[in-house]
Amino acid sequence: MSWRARLSRNLQEIRILFNTRVSGNETLPAEDSVGVVNFINKNYAELKHLNPRLPILIRNGPDATPRLWARYDYGAEAYRDIAFSNEEDILEKLKELNDIGLETPKATMRVWQSSVPQDEDITRAYDPNKGY
């Protein structure tokens, strides 16, 4: 299986920021963000298809610094600058962020399940005459 298909196992969220400029009535990518827009156009659909539950946020703005952000479990984040990068460079940086996710601690189901009543607790507490 490709590392691209395992992004959702190692990351909680991907954010892609890029710079835009206004030309007349059009908003176009700035010079430092052309590669970012090409990356999005060529790779977004595949990444989303392989990781349907992984949020991939794409943000643009006139003063945005082109960056690729990754959020991991427990709120940890890392980013890579992608200004003036081409598609291959951005894929390499995404792989770096994915590799960081391999090493970060993972939140387990037990973290949040400990506060949720388990099935056996509910069935033991249920009295058909009284309800819950």
Side-chain angles (χ1 to χ4, degrees):
M1 184 181 345
S2 169
W3 63 269
R4 293 181 194 195
R6 292 189 304 266
L7 284 172
S8 58
R9 293 182 186 183
N10 301 321
L11 307 174
Q12 293 295 317
E13 177 184 276
I14 296 172
R15 289 190 308 269
I16 303 170
L17 285 80
F18 64 96
N19 195 355
T20 56
R21 63 182 169 81
V22 177
S23 176
N25 293 334
E26 295 182 322
T27 302
L28 303 170
E31 291 177 11
D32 61 351
S33 298
V34 173
V36 179
V37 173
N38 291 337
F39 170 80
I40 294 167
N41 290 335
K42 291 181 183 177
N43 294 283
Y44 176 82
E46 178 188 7
L47 292 173
K48 198 61 182 173
H49 176 75
L50 294 172
N51 303 280
R53 294 186 178 160
L54 178 67
I56 301 175
L57 309 175
I58 300 170
R59 302 290 184 258
N60 64 343
D63 296 324
T65 302
R67 288 189 176 155
L68 180 64
W69 285 86
R71 186 171 51 84
Y72 306 100
D73 289 343
Y74 299 110
E77 292 188 340
Y79 74 89
R80 297 290 182 264
D81 287 320
I82 52 175
F84 299 102
S85 296
N86 60 25
E87 179 185 352
E88 292 79 26
D89 293 339
I90 296 171
L91 277 172
E92 182 179 315
K93 291 176 183 184
L94 181 58
K95 186 173 185 332
E96 287 176 20
L97 293 171
N98 182 58
D99 292 344
I100 291 171
L102 289 170
E103 304 299 323
T104 59
K106 304 286 187 275
T108 62
M109 297 291 280
R110 293 181 186 185
V111 170
W112 64 269
Q113 280 183 336
S114 61
S115 62
V116 177
Q118 302 300 312
D119 291 339
E120 59 273 4
D121 297 333
I122 294 171
T123 54
R124 245 184 284 131
Y126 178 72
D127 182 357
N129 297 326
K130 296 180 185 176
Y132 285 101

